[in-house]
Amino acid sequence: MTTQVVLGNINPVVLEKLQSLAQSHNRSLEDEVKTILENFVEAEVVNQESVAAQAWGKIDIARQRHLDKIFSDSVELLREDRNR
């Protein structure tokens, strides 16, 4: 599937820098923009996966810390609180 994206009102300085990058990488302006977008999205996905992995790591540490402990039933504590 091919989708076209039209960008208007691009800052002339940004456009000039994009054209310069494209030329230095021997790419067309369109290919340079596609490459930049793909790299950004891939980095964002990796970053989100890293954040999720860190969160699960913290959860695993908390589980290990509380593994052998017995906790009271919170339902009873909630009932007591409501009855006050």
Side-chain angles (χ1 to χ4, degrees):
M1 178 171 89
T2 301
T3 302
Q4 284 189 338
V5 176
V6 178
L7 300 174
N9 300 323
I10 296 177
N11 181 325
V13 174
V14 172
L15 183 57
E16 187 177 316
K17 289 179 181 180
L18 284 170
Q19 289 170 330
S20 177
L21 281 171
Q23 186 177 13
S24 70
H25 294 133
N26 295 317
R27 291 193 269 249
S28 67
L29 178 61
E30 181 180 356
D31 286 341
E32 187 68 25
V33 170
K34 283 195 282 188
T35 300
I36 290 169
L37 288 172
E38 288 168 358
N39 290 341
F40 177 82
V41 170
E42 287 174 12
E44 189 65 24
V45 168
V46 168
N47 184 40
Q48 288 176 357
E49 290 172 353
S50 174
V51 168
Q54 289 174 2
W56 281 112
K58 289 179 182 179
I59 290 169
D60 289 339
I61 290 169
R63 283 183 179 152
Q64 290 299 319
R65 193 174 337 134
H66 298 89
L67 190 61
D68 296 327
K69 295 183 181 177
I70 298 173
F71 297 94
S72 62
D73 187 0
S74 60
V75 173
E76 291 302 319
L77 296 173
L78 289 169
R79 282 187 186 138
E80 287 177 22
D81 194 42
R82 283 190 203 133
N83 291 332
R84 287 187 205 175

